[in-house]
Amino acid sequence: MTPVPTFDETFYADPYPTYARLRADGGVHHVSTPDGSKAWLVTRHADVRACLADPRLSLNRANAGDGYRGFALPPALDANLLNLDPPDHTRLRALIAREFTPARVEAMAPAITSAAAELLDACPTGEPVDLIAAFAAPLPLRVIGDLLGVPRRDRARFREWTRTLLTPSPGQPPTAARDAVAGMHGYLVDLIAAKRAAPEDDLLSALIAARDDDDRLSEAELVSMAFLTLWAGYENLVNLIGNGMRALLTHDQPVTDLPTAVEELTRYDQPLQFAIRRFPVCDIEVGGVAVPAGETVLLGIASANHDETVFAEPEALRLDRDPNPHLSYGHGVHRSFGSRLSQVEAAIAVAALLERGCALAVPAGDLRALPSFRNRGLVELPVTLG
């Protein structure tokens, strides 16, 4: 029997050996997370994929048992796709999909390309620069800010709020997370009011106007949607760019097909380790293991992406890997609606850095991982740009 995993600094630095041991020993394990919560961790690709599409696994916290101690948002921020099941999820996603279209994403590509070039032009050449602070963080913030219509003068505040929520510092006061949520909520309420009074050519203005016959997004749904877009669309891209460039800079492989390479970078070092928690609405069986109703289930996306029964040499970076059935964007009705924007933005970022020329400025072993159980990324990525 595999020992119960310890989620500590060793795991943060490299979680994949732990995932491999867990997959080898049954795939589904009862674990304690760093905050002391109990959860069923699903690690094999087939089981994770099946669970992602299983309607018996609810996203709604109303179906959680008494033991759940996850991050709680106020009701005004919780009316989003990550806490809803069909038919509420279906209705909300349909309204959002009317405006957050592939055409809107593709139309953003020139602005993303221009922003990437501007950020790199501002970086020094021939001397170390932190790629996270100078490029990987400000680029997604600008993209999401442009998408929603957040004034540039206000965007730095969102960086601080998300860092407080997702990667808290050891000395952070216990009220910091609550204050960050309150700050984001208050700002978004004011922003929506401003867009309602004076609509602009942005997604938030379009969502305010979106309707399906007599149906439209409520105020809480608008605020929650904006919150989810800023939070998920920003932090995941920061870590995808950082993790992806670390992989490229530590492997001597040419990029011959950029979209295929980006898919492999996404699989190889997935920023979000687990899908959003789920709660069985009845007693179920996962991978031959009985999971009682109401308990917390964590679907190990990063582990599934390294399943040796699906991916040949999963620990190897293969930039020409095809097919590549990774689960980084989910599966089924809850597949990420922002997946296309993530792919476009990551491809533009990687292309800009490859064109500019980039080399690690420190030994790879000196790079520090974020001290986070759920989000895999780098504290810094010192590089030298050409």
Side-chain angles (χ1 to χ4, degrees), residues 244 247-248 251 253 261 264-265 267-268 313-321:
L248 286 177
H251 293 77
Q253 294 185 32
E264 173 66 352
L265 293 173
R267 178 205 72 84
Y268 180 75
E313 295 184 285
E315 304 309 319
L317 181 71
R318 291 185 174 181
L319 296 179
D320 60 351
R321 190 183 295 273

Side-chain angles (χ1 to χ4, degrees), residues 111-335:
I112 299 173
T113 301
S114 177
E118 181 182 327
L119 289 168
L120 289 177
D121 286 343
C123 293
T125 57
E127 61 183 75
V129 60
D130 177 14
L131 197 65
I132 303 296
F135 182 77
L139 180 62
L141 193 58
R142 185 176 299 189
V143 172
I144 296 298
D146 287 348
L147 177 67
L148 291 177
V150 177
R152 288 197 179 188
R153 65 180 180 274
D154 297 336
R155 296 178 188 179
R157 282 192 276 175
F158 283 98
R159 173 62 174 161
E160 294 307 312
W161 284 329
T162 55
R163 288 176 78 94
T164 297
L165 292 172
L166 295 175
T167 54
S169 60
Q172 181 170 293
T175 59
R178 183 190 63 199
D179 293 343
V181 169
M184 293 184 80
H185 176 228
Y187 180 86
L188 291 172
V189 167
D190 292 342
L191 181 63
I192 288 170
K195 298 292 183 184
R196 197 184 299 279
E200 298 180 295
D201 184 21
D202 54 59
L203 178 63
L204 197 51
S205 296
L207 290 175
I208 291 170
R211 56 173 65 242
D212 184 1
D213 294 328
D214 292 331
D215 190 20
R216 64 190 309 167
L217 295 171
S218 69
E219 192 74 8
E221 289 168 344
L222 283 166
V223 175
S224 297
M225 173 61 190
F227 175 78
L228 175 61
T229 303
L230 278 163
W231 192 5
Y234 165 66
E235 193 71 19
N236 288 343
L237 259 297
V238 175
N239 293 332
L240 176 57
I241 294 170
N243 293 354
M245 288 309 300
R246 170 174 59 179
L248 286 177
L249 296 175
T250 54
H251 293 77
D252 185 19
Q253 294 185 32
V255 176
T256 57
D257 183 278
L258 188 58
T260 301
V262 167
E263 290 301 292
E264 173 66 352
L265 293 173
T266 304
R267 178 205 72 84
Y268 180 75
D269 208 2
Q270 159 68 9
L272 198 61
Q273 296 289 283
F274 315 103
I276 189 71
R277 75 290 173 275
R278 282 159 165 80
F279 312 105
V281 296
C282 60
D283 295 348
I284 64 172
E285 185 176 290
V286 180
V289 175
V291 179
E295 300 211 354
T296 304
V297 177
L298 293 178
L299 305 181
I301 301 295
S303 175
N305 286 351
H306 281 245
D307 191 330
E308 46 285 310
T309 68
V310 176
F311 302 96
E313 295 184 285
E315 304 309 319
L317 181 71
R318 291 185 174 181
L319 296 179
D320 60 351
R321 190 183 295 273
D322 186 29
N324 193 342
H326 67 77
L327 298 173
S328 298
Y329 298 117
H331 172 66
V333 298
H334 294 291
R335 178 178 167 83

